[in-house]
């Protein structure tokens, strides 16, 4: 397996630190508002990585944090007249619901920043003792000049660094970044050797990575917008503390609209509940996961609907096989599918294998070759399962509110189909045509195949 490592700037062979075990940390949500599709793309992308590693036999420890204390959370809660902790908890639940709706597996652990203040204070004290951090006016800062290779992840030169934190009176150098923020009136705070305050954003992930995965682990993942300053500053703290930290850095591309990153400030947010009114959850997951994880995904309504149709085509084939042949259990993925995912999670190439299997399976089904059709269907289930979007998985079928209705309609239609067959057998063409016309008026098409009459709704759902 080979993965693109942002730090080395190229694709490298991946082998875990511990044989048979892979440790992954994904920077999760800052729970300041409702999640949009740009937020959850990383969840879907790295869920595929996790599923693929698990399918290959690895035991995967997957940690995804929650940033529940942050300037934006405090400001928005204050503007709304709500307690900051209530605001954070409300939107943490919204993110959890979004991940669950899209079939993203729950993490092994989901630590909150506010639950790891002790570890952050210990980390900061260590950095001060090592000469890499200093206190000033109640705040604590990381001294960038003490780390000669600062900027190696993002390519920033230290002289050109701007942390975006504004001017602070206690900061010696504007290149330095905040580890701990001194207490302000009305804000939450915790006691430390440097006075009461709250953590800086960049410190929390280092503390939580090491608390759950150790001083060195396999993969640190997140959106490409986190490369600088967040991940750059994580590396700085970990290395200054003497730790090996992440061996691979993986970053997913943005969801864009009109070439710009989807964000609340641009006013082009597509909230998950709103999108799920237009497509099913499995179709949205298919859409978000269909592009290569490192590429930009330019959103358009047409692209979303095209993805929904592609997913429905896979679903349609599996339903046809199940209806005509019988139960379809997950089988084996193809060699090309495995090679694609081993090549830096090349999902587009992997999906090409899925659609090739579907095309071959449909040809076999039309020719009455049930064995080949079933083999292809079983392979598709295995491949789509790894991508987290197997249409026959009970997660998606149980969420499809039309399933029970279709089952009931099937009983009624089959009775009409039998009457039509009897009319044809007795050469009562008028009655046979009348039955067919009634079904057609109801939006039901009947097709005579080598397996007998088959019916479908206007959306292509076959029975």
């Amino acid at each position: 397996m080979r993965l693109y490592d942002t730090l080395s700037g190229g694709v490298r062979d991946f082998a875990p630190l511990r044989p048979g075990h892979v440790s992954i940390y994904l920077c999760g949500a800052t729970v300041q508002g409702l999640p949009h599709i740009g937020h959850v793309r990383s969840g879907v992308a790295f869920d595929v990585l996790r599923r693929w590693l698990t399918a290959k036999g690895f035991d995967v420890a997957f940690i995804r944090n929650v940033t529940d204390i942050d300037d934006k959370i405090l400001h928005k809660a204050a503007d709304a007249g709500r307690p900051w902790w209530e605001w954070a908890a409300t939107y943490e639940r919204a993110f959890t619901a979004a991940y669950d709706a899209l079939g993203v597996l729950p993490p092994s652990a989901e630590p909150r920043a506010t639950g790891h203040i002790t570890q952050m204070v210990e980390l900061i004290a260590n950095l001060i003792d090592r000469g890499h951090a200093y206190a000033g006016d109640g705040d604590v800062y990381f001294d960038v000049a003490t780390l000669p290779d600062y900027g190696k992840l993002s390519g920033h030169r230290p002289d050109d660094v701007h942390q975006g934190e504004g001017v602070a009176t206690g900061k010696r150098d504007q290149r330095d970044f905040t580890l701990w923020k001194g207490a302000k009136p009305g804000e939450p705070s915790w006691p430390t050797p440097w006075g009461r305050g709250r953590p800086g954003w960049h410190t929390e992930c280092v503390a939580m990575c090491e608390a759950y995965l150790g001083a060195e682990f396999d993969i640190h993942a997140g959106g490409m917008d986190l490369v600088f300053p967040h991940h750059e500053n994580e590396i700085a703290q970990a290395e200054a503390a003497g730790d090996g930290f992440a061996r691979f850095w993986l970053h997913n591309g943005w969801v864009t609209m009109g070439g710009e990153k989807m964000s609340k400030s641009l006013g082009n947010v597509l909230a998950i509940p709103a999108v799920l009114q237009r497509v099913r959850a499995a179709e949205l997951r298919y859409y978000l996961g269909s592009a290569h994880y490192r590429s930009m995904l330019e959103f358009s309504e047409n692209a979303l609907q095209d993805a929904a149709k592609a997913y429905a085509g896979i679903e349609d084939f599996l339903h046809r096989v199940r209806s005509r042949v019988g139960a379809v259990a997950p089988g084996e993925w193809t060699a090309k599918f495995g090679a694609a995912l081993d090549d830096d999670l090349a999902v587009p190439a992997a999906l090409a294998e899925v659609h090739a299997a579907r095309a071959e399976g449909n040809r076999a089904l039309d020719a009455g070759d049930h064995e080949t059709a079933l083999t292809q269907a079983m392979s598709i289930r295995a491949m789509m399962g790894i991508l987290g979007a197997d249409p026959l998985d009970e997660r998606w079928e149980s969420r499809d509110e039309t399933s029970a209705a279709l089952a009931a309609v099937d009983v009624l239609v089959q009775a009409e189909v039998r009457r039509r067959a009897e009319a044809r057998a007795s050469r009562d063409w008028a009655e046979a045509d009348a039955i067919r016309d009634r079904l057609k008026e109801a939006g039901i098409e009947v097709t005579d195949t080598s397996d007998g009459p088959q019916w479908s709704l206007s959306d292509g759902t076959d029975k």
Side-chain angles (χ1 to χ4, degrees):
M1 188 174 183
R2 292 169 61 78
L3 295 171
Y4 185 91
D5 173 30
T6 304
L7 183 59
S8 63
V11 177
R12 297 198 290 122
D13 290 337
F14 174 77
L17 189 64
R18 290 169 45 199
H21 178 84
V22 177
S23 47
I24 302 174
Y25 184 94
L26 172 62
C27 276
T30 298
V31 288
Q32 57 170 305
L34 288 174
H36 59 64
I37 61 175
H39 288 135
V40 299
R41 187 188 179 192
S42 67
V44 171
F46 297 115
D47 185 60
V48 172
L49 171 63
R50 179 187 184 183
R51 288 172 182 269
W52 179 231
L53 289 167
T54 300
K56 288 167 70 71
F58 290 102
D59 173 41
V60 181
F62 192 95
I63 309 301
R64 184 183 68 215
N65 78 298
V66 174
T67 297
D68 62 342
I69 185 75
D70 173 85
D71 288 347
K72 293 179 180 178
I73 294 172
L74 296 178
H75 293 160
K76 289 186 177 184
D79 289 344
R82 308 304 303 171
W84 68 271
W85 50 264
E86 179 196 54
W87 191 269
T90 297
Y91 292 108
E92 180 181 344
R93 289 193 297 272
F95 269 87
T96 298
Y99 289 131
D100 181 63
L102 297 186
V104 175
L105 296 172
S108 306
E110 194 167 24
R112 298 182 183 93
T114 54
H116 296 78
I117 300 297
T118 299
Q119 291 90 337
M120 289 185 242
V121 170
E122 290 174 347
L123 170 63
I124 294 170
N126 183 23
L127 293 174
I128 291 174
D129 290 345
R130 287 171 169 262
H132 292 289
Y134 59 92
D137 291 343
D139 301 324
V140 182
Y141 302 98
F142 186 91
D143 189 344
V144 168
T146 63
L147 209 65
D149 60 353
Y150 181 86
K152 63 183 180 181
L153 180 70
S154 62
H156 282 63
R157 296 176 55 197
D159 289 345
D160 298 330
V161 164
H162 189 286
Q163 299 290 349
E165 296 180 345
V167 178
T169 56
K171 189 184 290 190
R172 298 173 186 170
D173 188 321
Q174 287 307 304
R175 296 174 300 178
D176 298 344
F177 59 89
T178 307
L179 301 176
W180 188 260
K181 297 184 177 186
K184 295 180 181 178
E187 289 190 354
S189 64
W190 289 262
T192 75
W194 321 286
R196 296 190 67 88
R198 61 184 174 89
W201 178 35
H202 310 306
T203 306
E204 66 177 76
C205 284
V206 179
M208 288 188 282
C209 281
E210 299 192 351
Y212 290 86
L213 301 178
E216 186 175 13
F217 56 97
D218 293 310
I219 296 171
H220 196 313
M224 63 179 295
D225 53 318
L226 300 180
V227 173
F228 185 86
H230 189 48
H231 289 169
E232 191 74 74
N233 291 346
E234 283 189 48
I235 291 178
Q237 292 171 82
E239 292 192 351
D243 300 330
F245 214 51
R247 300 171 68 243
F248 277 76
W249 289 84
L250 273 61
H251 293 95
N252 64 278
W254 297 331
V255 177
T256 59
M257 292 183 70
E260 296 184 87
K261 177 191 171 188
M262 183 173 294
S263 67
K264 289 181 173 62
S265 61
L266 292 176
N268 54 11
V269 174
L270 283 171
I272 299 299
V275 180
L276 292 181
Q277 292 178 359
R278 306 199 295 280
V279 295
R280 293 177 296 166
E283 293 166 342
L284 178 56
R285 178 182 174 112
Y286 180 95
Y287 170 68
L288 291 175
S290 60
H292 194 284
Y293 78 95
R294 287 194 289 116
S295 68
M296 297 297 185
L297 180 61
E298 174 69 12
F299 176 83
S300 72
E301 193 65 36
N302 286 339
L304 177 64
Q305 295 300 330
D306 285 345
K309 290 176 183 176
Y311 177 84
I314 297 168
E315 181 182 45
D316 173 62
F317 168 66
L318 293 177
H319 284 172
R320 291 180 65 205
V321 173
R322 186 169 64 180
S323 175
R324 300 185 190 184
V325 182
V328 180
E332 299 291 332
W333 61 79
T334 70
K336 287 184 179 180
F337 177 90
L341 292 189
D342 275 343
D343 182 17
D344 192 33
L345 295 181
V347 171
L351 279 173
E353 275 296 284
V354 172
H355 288 289
R358 171 186 168 237
E360 182 176 346
N362 273 322
R363 288 192 295 269
L365 200 59
D366 291 342
D369 182 356
H370 290 177
E371 182 178 353
T372 298
L374 180 59
T375 298
Q376 296 301 325
M378 293 171 65
S379 179
I380 286 173
R381 283 208 66 188
M383 294 185 286
M384 290 295 286
I386 290 168
L387 299 179
D390 171 16
L392 297 188
D393 186 284
E394 63 179 9
R395 148 174 284 281
W396 304 121
E397 289 212 312
S398 64
R399 289 174 179 263
D400 183 357
E401 296 180 357
T402 67
S403 295
L406 284 174
V409 171
D410 185 47
V411 174
L412 300 176
V413 174
Q414 291 295 352
E416 287 290 278
V417 168
R418 284 194 296 271
R419 281 194 288 272
R420 175 175 174 269
E422 291 168 358
R424 286 166 60 90
S426 62
R427 305 180 70 82
D428 187 350
W429 308 118
E431 177 63 14
D433 290 344
I435 293 172
R436 182 164 186 163
D437 289 344
R438 284 200 302 272
L439 292 172
K440 189 172 183 178
E441 287 177 7
I444 296 168
E445 295 285 345
V446 178
T447 304
D448 295 310
T449 74
S450 58
D451 296 314
Q454 302 292 324
W455 69 269
S456 64
L457 296 175
S458 57
D459 68 353
T461 303
D462 287 352
K463 289 290 181 181

